Amino acid sequence: MNYILFDGTVRNALLPFTFTRPVADIRVGILTIREKWEKYLGYTTTTLTEEYLSEKFPMVEMEDNVMINASFLPNEVLVELVKSLEKNQAIFQGDEVVAFYTNDTQEEVDFDAYEIIDYTEEGLKIEHTWDIFAKNDAALREDFELITEDRHSQPIPKSVNVIAPENIFIEEGAKLEFVTLNASTGPIYIGKNAEIMEGSVIRGPFALCESGRVKLATKVYGATTVGPHSVIGGEVSNSVLMGYSNKGHDGFLGNAVLGEWCNIGADSNNSNLKNNYEEVRLWSYETEGFAKTGLQFCGLMMGDHSKCGINTMFNTGTVVGVFANIFGAGFPRNFVPSFSWGGASGFTTYMTNKAFQTAKIVMARRNVEFTEQDANILQHVFEITQKYRKE
């Protein structure tokens, strides 16, 4: 069967992260949403997403296709429903389509002609940017069970101070000595060729993905995910780094999400709680205003390729777009548009020629090429976010 993951109705609510990727490629838990579905289904998937992303994330159609709403995270019940779909059948949760069986001759799908199957499970769904960290605990636990089932962990080194070792899984090539791992509060997953340096103290749930690093004497509170080739240091709590991002020095990152290729300068901090303890509001690209999160704790949302200088202070509920470069004293405003250059004293436009040159240098350090596809996507993002930049 040919499975296609589509963005669904939540794509704009998940900006700035979906400026540069389909919903399916958001990381929550240990795996991306795509990786979860592929592991459950036993098939590779392709993507129906925005046209400007489609060259990098193409859709492959066949005669028969099952379309899956990528905002729904898979579980055993949902996957069985999806696998058993037949022509002209669709799975709905309330008014929202979860998955449906179609073919490439149909230009528009008329669900009135479909047999509707109700999905009533309270499974995980990613609908807002803050869901990525708020639901990371549950997603991480599910991924841990999925990844480690019927497998054996590498032995825990004797120098490691460990609580609940049965909830710890270490992949081949991982390095850790003289660290403390407390998995009594949730599972701890240490990926292939990852490293946790001496003196670090980690409470689960926690995932350190392939080739990730935890630097000396880092303090980590769950539920935290450090994506592939990412680095953390200082103090980190309930945060997700999607991949290739660095928060490598002292300073606090909490209730936060960083995209890919981000860098947090030394001694930078984000606030995750308002002084009056009120509900945090967060910039929404969907409404172009500040949305209620329903959360008392909510920190920093930072899109791909954004960076901040040393001693940067982020206010509670700050949203930073793609390719922002933030520096200087004081608190920058709590919505920083994409391709902004500056700080609390004001911003100018970060021009694409300079931004892309930096990206080439940064990515080359990890042996990753900045491609023409990447440039085209980011040029489009530059253009569609122009309205938010005021100089």
Side-chain angles (χ1 to χ4, degrees), residues 1-3 61-66 87 101-104:
M1 180 53 66
N2 188 47
Y3 294 101
E61 284 186 298
M62 296 184 180
E63 184 176 347
D64 296 294
N65 307 286
V66 170
K87 290 183 180 180
Y101 193 128
T102 186
N103 59 68
D104 62 356

Side-chain angles (χ1 to χ4, degrees), residues 4 6 48 59 61-68 85-92 95-116:
I4 300 170
F6 66 93
L48 176 60
M59 178 175 67
E61 284 186 298
M62 296 184 180
E63 184 176 347
D64 296 294
N65 307 286
V66 170
M67 311 289 293
I68 302 171
L85 278 173
E86 298 178 359
K87 290 183 180 180
N88 295 321
Q89 286 185 330
I91 302 168
F92 271 74
D95 294 329
E96 186 160 17
V97 62
V98 180
F100 60 98
Y101 193 128
T102 186
N103 59 68
D104 62 356
T105 61
Q106 294 175 273
E107 294 181 4
E108 294 186 8
V109 177
D110 179 11
F111 287 118
D112 290 336
Y114 272 62
E115 177 189 350
I116 303 302

Side-chain angles (χ1 to χ4, degrees), residues 31-245:
L31 305 169
T32 66
I33 297 172
R34 183 189 307 281
E35 289 168 344
K36 299 177 204 295
W37 274 106
E38 292 183 345
K39 196 162 185 65
Y40 268 106
L41 293 168
Y43 287 88
T44 58
T45 63
T46 59
T47 309
L48 176 60
T49 186
E50 296 294 303
E51 184 177 353
Y52 76 92
L53 293 170
S54 61
E55 184 180 354
K56 185 173 182 179
F57 304 96
M59 178 175 67
V60 176
E61 284 186 298
M62 296 184 180
E63 184 176 347
D64 296 294
N65 307 286
V66 170
M67 311 289 293
I68 302 171
N69 186 333
S71 65
F72 287 86
L73 273 55
N75 56 52
E76 289 184 1
V77 173
L78 179 55
V79 169
E80 285 306 310
L81 287 175
V82 169
K83 284 183 173 180
S84 63
L85 278 173
E86 298 178 359
K87 290 183 180 180
N88 295 321
Q89 286 185 330
I91 302 168
F92 271 74
Q93 185 176 76
D95 294 329
E96 186 160 17
V97 62
V98 180
F100 60 98
Y101 193 128
T102 186
N103 59 68
D104 62 356
T105 61
Q106 294 175 273
E107 294 181 4
E108 294 186 8
V109 177
D110 179 11
F111 287 118
D112 290 336
Y114 272 62
E115 177 189 350
I116 303 302
I117 300 167
D118 289 326
Y119 174 58
T120 57
E121 294 286 316
E122 292 186 9
L124 294 174
K125 185 184 179 189
I126 303 302
E127 301 175 79
H128 307 284
T129 53
W130 56 86
D131 286 340
I132 298 170
F133 74 78
K135 298 181 180 180
N136 197 50
D137 187 304
L140 202 156
R141 293 173 192 267
E142 290 184 4
D143 283 354
F144 185 86
E145 294 297 322
L146 181 66
I147 289 172
T148 64
E149 185 178 10
D150 297 326
R151 298 179 62 219
H152 295 287
S153 170
Q154 296 295 306
I156 299 172
K158 292 181 179 179
S159 69
V160 173
N161 184 28
V162 60
I163 304 172
E166 67 276 10
N167 294 331
I168 295 171
F169 194 95
I170 303 172
E171 297 282 8
E172 184 178 350
K175 296 187 292 185
L176 61 160
E177 297 285 355
F178 297 101
V179 303
T180 295
L181 302 179
N182 181 358
S184 66
T185 52
I188 293 176
Y189 174 83
I190 303 170
K192 184 179 179 181
N193 298 326
E195 181 179 14
I196 304 177
M197 297 182 185
E198 307 88 278
S200 295
V201 181
I202 296 171
R203 290 175 64 93
F206 174 72
L208 179 63
C209 298
E210 183 174 351
S211 298
R213 284 190 297 149
V214 177
K215 297 183 76 174
L216 288 167
T218 299
K219 295 176 289 185
V220 182
Y221 302 84
T224 289
T225 296
V226 180
H229 304 276
S230 293
V231 180
I232 60 168
E235 183 179 2
V236 180
S237 175
N238 191 196
S239 296
V240 175
L241 286 71
M242 292 195 189
Y244 293 96
S245 286

Side-chain angles (χ1 to χ4, degrees), residues 304-338:
D304 289 8
H305 291 283
S306 286
K307 298 169 175 57
C308 70
I310 61 171
N311 297 308
T312 301
M313 300 185 296
F314 290 106
N315 232 321
T316 317
T318 293
V319 174
V320 177
V322 174
F323 259 119
N325 197 310
I326 302 166
F327 52 88
F331 287 94
R333 61 194 186 195
N334 53 4
F335 169 50
V336 179
S338 298

Side-chain angles (χ1 to χ4, degrees), residues 340-361:
S340 294
W341 177 282
S345 59
F347 288 93
T348 59
T349 297
Y350 190 8
M351 301 307 294
T352 55
N353 59 334
K354 293 183 178 180
F356 293 176
Q357 183 58 40
T358 298
K360 290 176 183 177
I361 296 169

